[in-house]
């Protein structure tokens, strides 16, 4: 039994030994939520620091180097500053929707994080429609952006929110179709089963050329769906100030800011799970050494996060028409043809087996 499983079993037995069953179940859920909130916060702070380091490296700058050793506490100082800042807004804003909007964004990201299989035993919510659930939950975040932009009663925020709706709806098609290509290959929507299939080889290898094309489309569309450069038309600073969160400050602004980085981590984590075997090592020794699976998962995920940051600091921002042309004229037709090719490959395999 792994260390993580033995710890969770000990806590489970202890709680059910001192409390009624219903109370113990609620306490367990609260503890799991606290663990994921901690992961959420730590990952967000680390990714912000990583972004600033990568940006400095690409631009031949030093980057954060004052607060803490080598600037490691810089994002912590920024977080404390945001917590202590006054929450401002506009008099004509729709107060209820204005205050509600950040929670849509942050909660959808947190719910999606619960489905990610960090290791064989470290997954909060493993259901048989995992991929479908992830796509559905990630779609809720755009509601927060639309509400925030509209409720702010600011024309720049409204334009950013409308752009977000167009962009997210468009690129969700490519994200979903690229994942559907791999679902055809595995025959399952459950993330744990998709990982099990990859014990004989990562899907990006098993799926041949269609899997590689699906991965490339997924990363491009995923970057666009997270509203990151070169697809950051939603918060184009040179045109819209800060876009949909122009009127937000303090922790409410931090929620939007943090959610962007967590969504980037989620896109990379889904790609790691579906294409690169999640916690499985390339050498087949993951299960023999505790926590090695977590090391492999985070290593592969952070490489993909670095790739997304590379996009940001390399390519210029697209125009709105270029953004939609890329999706509707290129990525979507490529995805449809790719699904057809993958279906033929799977049909051929089944025919040979029969």
């Amino acid at each position: 039994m792994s260390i993580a499983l033995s710890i969770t079993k000990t806590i489970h037995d202890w709680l059910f030994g001192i409390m009624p069953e219903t109370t113990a179940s609620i306490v367990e859920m609260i503890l799991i939520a606290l663990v994921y909130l901690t992961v959420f916060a730590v990952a967000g702070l680390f990714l912000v620091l990583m972004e600033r380091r990568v940006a400095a490296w690409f631009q031949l700058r030093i980057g954060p180097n004052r607060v803490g050793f080598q600037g490691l506490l810089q994002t912590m100082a920024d977080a404390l500053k945001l917590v202590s800042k006054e929450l401002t807004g506009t008099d004509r804003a729709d107060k209820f929707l204005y205050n509600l909007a950040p929670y849509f964004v942050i909660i959808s990201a947190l719910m999606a994080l619960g489905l990610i299989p960090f290791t064989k035993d470290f997954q909060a919510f493993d259901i048989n429609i995992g991929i479908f659930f992830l796509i559905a939950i990630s779609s809720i975040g755009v509601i927060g952006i639309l509400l925030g932009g509209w409720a702010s009663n600011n024309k720049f925020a409204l334009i950013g929110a409308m752009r977000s709706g167009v962009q997210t709806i468009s690129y969700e098609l490519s994200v979903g179709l690229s994942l559907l290509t791999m679902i055809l290959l595995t025959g399952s929507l459950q993330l744990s089963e998709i990982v099990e299939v990859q014990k004989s080889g990562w899907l990006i290898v098993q799926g041949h050329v269609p899997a590689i094309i699906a991965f490339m489309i997924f990363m491009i569309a995923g970057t666009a769906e997270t509203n990151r450069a070169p697809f950051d038309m939603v918060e184009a600073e040179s045109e819209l100030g800060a876009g949909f969160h122009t009127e937000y400050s303090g922790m409410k602004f931090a929620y939007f800011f943090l959610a962007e980085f967590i969504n980037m981590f989620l896109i990379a984590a889904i790609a790691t799970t579906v294409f690169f075997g999640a916690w499985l090592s390339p050498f087949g020794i993951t299960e023999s050494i505790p926590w090695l699976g977590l090391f492999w998962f985070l290593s592969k995920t952070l490489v993909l996060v670095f790739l997304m940051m590379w996009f940001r600091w390399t390519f210029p921002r697209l125009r709105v028409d270029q953004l939609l042309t890329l999706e509707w004229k290129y990525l979507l037709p490529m995805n449809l043809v790719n699904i057809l090719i993958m279906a033929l490959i799977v049909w051929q395999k089944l025919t040979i087996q029969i």
Side-chain angles (χ1 to χ4, degrees):
M1 183 185 294
S2 69
I3 296 173
L5 198 59
S6 62
I7 291 172
T8 53
K9 188 176 186 307
T10 302
I11 295 172
H12 174 83
D13 293 341
W14 178 70
L15 287 174
F16 277 80
I18 63 171
M19 299 178 183
E21 186 174 340
T22 304
T23 307
S25 297
I26 294 171
V27 172
E28 268 191 342
M29 292 178 190
I30 292 171
L31 290 175
I32 292 169
L34 289 174
V35 169
Y36 271 86
L37 281 170
T38 304
V39 171
F40 193 95
V42 172
L45 292 175
F46 172 77
L47 289 171
V48 173
L49 180 64
M50 181 179 172
E51 174 86 88
R52 296 176 72 174
R53 283 290 189 186
V54 170
W57 182 49
F58 273 91
Q59 297 171 353
L60 300 179
R61 295 186 289 105
I62 296 174
N65 67 338
R66 299 280 179 162
V67 185
F69 176 71
Q70 294 294 314
L72 292 176
L73 298 179
Q74 180 63 57
T75 50
M76 184 66 72
D78 293 339
L80 291 173
K81 180 195 74 172
L82 287 170
V83 169
S84 61
K85 280 177 73 74
E86 180 185 359
L87 296 175
T88 61
T90 56
D91 291 335
R92 294 176 180 274
D94 185 319
K95 293 293 190 297
F96 176 72
L97 296 179
Y98 175 84
N99 293 322
L100 181 66
Y103 296 99
F104 271 97
V105 178
I106 209 84
I107 289 172
S108 66
L110 186 59
M111 289 177 69
L113 195 66
L115 270 81
I116 302 299
F118 291 92
T119 67
K120 187 175 183 178
D121 302 318
F122 188 4
Q123 184 181 9
F125 195 40
D126 184 26
I127 54 176
N128 60 356
I129 54 167
I131 295 290
F132 177 77
F133 185 82
L134 273 174
I135 295 171
I137 286 298
S138 63
S139 303
I140 295 175
V142 72
I143 297 175
I145 295 174
L146 290 169
L147 285 179
W150 184 84
S152 295
N153 195 28
N154 178 300
K155 62 182 178 181
F156 299 114
L158 180 59
I159 292 170
M162 296 305 293
R163 284 182 178 182
S164 174
V166 171
Q167 183 172 323
T168 305
I169 291 168
S170 298
Y171 280 89
E172 270 180 358
L173 288 169
S174 283
V175 168
L177 289 173
S178 57
L179 291 176
L180 181 59
T181 305
M182 307 313 294
I183 290 167
L184 279 173
L185 184 61
T186 60
S188 175
L189 288 166
Q190 190 166 351
L191 290 168
S192 58
E193 289 187 5
I194 290 173
V195 177
E196 287 295 319
V197 170
Q198 297 180 74
K199 285 189 173 180
S200 58
W202 294 348
L203 286 185
I204 199 163
V205 178
Q206 290 187 43
H208 308 295
V209 175
I212 297 171
I213 294 172
F215 168 70
M216 293 172 65
I217 293 174
F218 178 81
M219 291 304 296
I220 294 169
T223 304
E225 196 174 359
T226 54
N227 300 324
R228 289 181 56 82
F231 306 101
D232 60 335
M233 297 305 302
V234 176
E235 47 185 286
E237 293 89 349
S238 56
E239 305 165 30
L240 305 179
F244 63 92
H245 53 62
T246 298
E247 299 295 346
Y248 285 91
S249 67
M251 276 308 295
K252 291 175 185 174
F253 167 77
Y255 287 156
F256 283 116
F257 188 68
L258 186 62
E260 177 185 320
F261 284 91
I262 296 300
N263 285 330
M264 178 174 60
F265 178 82
L266 285 169
I267 290 293
I270 294 168
T272 298
T273 303
V274 174
F275 296 97
F276 295 102
W279 44 266
L280 296 173
S281 83
F283 314 110
I285 57 174
T286 300
E287 294 185 9
S288 61
I289 303 175
W291 302 108
L292 189 58
L294 183 62
F295 166 78
W296 284 116
F297 179 87
L298 292 178
S299 298
K300 289 181 275 189
T301 301
L302 289 177
V303 168
L304 296 180
V305 167
F306 173 76
L307 181 64
M308 295 174 75
M309 291 179 178
W310 192 342
F311 288 169
R312 173 169 187 168
W313 301 107
T314 304
F315 299 108
R317 180 183 297 132
L318 300 178
R319 297 195 313 265
V320 175
D321 62 311
Q322 292 172 331
L323 184 82
L324 296 177
T325 297
L326 175 64
E327 165 60 16
W328 293 101
K329 286 189 177 181
Y330 296 100
L331 295 185
L332 187 60
M334 285 173 62
N335 245 326
L336 294 172
V337 173
N338 200 43
I339 287 178
L340 180 61
I341 295 170
M342 181 62 82
L344 291 172
I345 290 172
V346 172
W347 175 75
Q348 186 181 21
K349 284 184 179 180
L350 292 173
T351 305
I352 292 171
Q353 290 177 359
I354 293 173

